Amino acid sequence: MLRHLMYKIKSTGPITVAEYMKEVLTNPAKGYYVYRDMLGEKGDFITSPEISQIFGELLGIWFISEWMATGKSTAFQLVELGPGRGTLVGDILRVFTQLGSVLKNCDISVHLVEKTPQGWREVFVDIDPQVSDKLRFVLAPSATPAEAFIQHDETRDHVEVCPDAGVIIEELSQRIALTGGAALVADYGHDGTKTDTFRGFCDHKLHDVLIAPGTADLTADVDFSYLRRMAQGKVASLGPIKQHTFLKNMGIDVRLKVLLDKSNEPSVRQQLLQGYDMLMNPKKMGERFNFFALLPHQRLQGGRYQRNARQSKPFASVVAGFSELAWQ
């Protein structure tokens, strides 16, 4: 992969961080996602669905709650962007067995932009002139299209922008506004406050993003304030809220007790408790992961959702997860 990247840079010049991420992660010949089993204890990182079945089950309850609140449509789709092994949707379908699913891969890359005395300049990846087999970051000599995504009142000196995510949010917002539905985003992220979050993971440890490309996962935190802006007011947004708050509101303590009461195996009980701690502990994933939702405006305004000329259902203004779930 390093040889391929250097040939590419020598041929066309320095590349954007977004292009670097796409090559390293998804290149069909050497891409990290193509040839490595990156999930689980033997991989480089672990995700919430891989930690405990409860995570996916509670998301299944969230979708059922929204389905009921919007009139119990007889046909709809569950779309998971970036499904990995499909563990999450499998857990959801166990809760809601009549659900149809559509799975799509979703590679999201970011552009890094830095404030300089000459204005905003994008960060590129180039070959280090001092060490022939080493990569380095450089600043673009002039303006690039990525700078158009910087807000005029931006106060941070370093900003990560993701046009690909903006396109996805725009399409989701338009679909939800026109035909109903909901989108739930769960990921590492912040609300427009962080700067340098671009990082690599190998063997569950931080890894230099420019060293041994193709052997480590590359990622960056989601800027939820950017997602909110890209919705352009077409739909309502909720969050971000911390994972431990969302899951507690969804009844994770109740579900854990049910599973513990049903199990007589000490190893299973220990696994359930360890998974709960990993998901909920603020020092682990409890405060690192966030939840963010897009919903029709009527869903929060107590209006009515018109299915057809003969049927309409009232909306409930409370959205599960973002306020405490009422068990009835």
Side-chain angles (χ1 to χ4, degrees), residues 156-322:
R156 291 173 291 175
D157 292 331
H158 298 77
V159 180
E160 297 162 340
V161 297
C162 185
D164 290 344
V167 171
I168 292 173
I169 292 298
E170 283 184 331
E171 181 174 347
L172 286 174
S173 299
Q174 184 173 355
R175 287 174 179 266
I176 291 170
L178 289 175
T179 62
L184 185 66
V185 180
D187 210 335
Y188 294 102
H190 57 92
D191 205 13
T193 56
K194 292 186 178 180
T195 54
D196 302 307
T197 71
F198 179 44
R199 59 200 184 278
F201 282 102
C202 184
D203 276 336
H204 301 274
K205 298 177 182 178
L206 285 172
H207 179 87
D208 190 315
V209 296
L210 297 182
I211 292 179
T215 65
D217 182 42
L218 303 181
T219 187
D221 285 4
V222 174
D223 184 344
F224 290 104
S225 68
Y226 170 68
L227 302 189
R228 191 183 301 113
R229 288 199 309 272
M230 297 310 294
Q232 298 178 342
K234 295 176 183 176
V235 293
S237 63
L238 292 175
I241 66 170
K242 301 299 183 184
Q243 175 168 287
H244 67 79
T245 302
F246 180 89
L247 295 180
K248 193 169 188 66
N249 289 342
M250 288 302 304
I252 188 172
D253 294 325
V254 175
R255 181 57 178 157
L256 176 65
K257 184 178 185 303
V258 169
L259 292 175
L260 288 173
D261 289 344
K262 286 184 176 180
S263 175
N264 296 319
E265 291 289 335
S267 61
V268 174
R269 293 173 62 87
Q270 182 181 14
Q271 184 179 20
L272 287 169
L273 291 170
Q274 289 176 341
Y276 175 91
D277 180 64
M278 179 65 75
L279 292 174
M280 297 294 286
N281 192 324
K283 295 182 179 179
K284 297 179 180 178
M285 299 183 76
E287 288 195 353
R288 294 177 184 173
F289 256 65
N290 292 268
F291 281 78
F292 176 86
L294 299 175
L295 303 160
H297 284 296
Q298 308 98 298
R299 174 70 177 84
L300 303 182
Q301 294 170 352
R304 299 181 72 83
Y305 188 81
Q306 190 71 31
R307 284 292 178 195
N308 53 49
R310 295 173 297 175
Q311 179 187 22
S312 63
K313 294 289 183 180
F315 275 104
S317 59
V318 174
V319 177
F322 296 88

Side-chain angles (χ1 to χ4, degrees), residues 11-31:
S11 300
T12 63
I15 59 176
T16 67
V17 171
E19 187 174 0
Y20 176 77
M21 290 181 71
K22 287 180 179 178
E23 285 290 335
V24 169
L25 298 177
T26 64
N27 181 283
K30 296 288 186 178

Side-chain angles (χ1 to χ4, degrees), residues 48-49 52-61 87-88 91-92 95:
S48 292
S52 173
Q53 70 182 72
I54 302 176
F55 183 85
E57 291 172 348
L58 295 180
L59 265 62
I61 294 173
T87 303
L88 175 60
D91 291 337
I92 291 173
V95 175

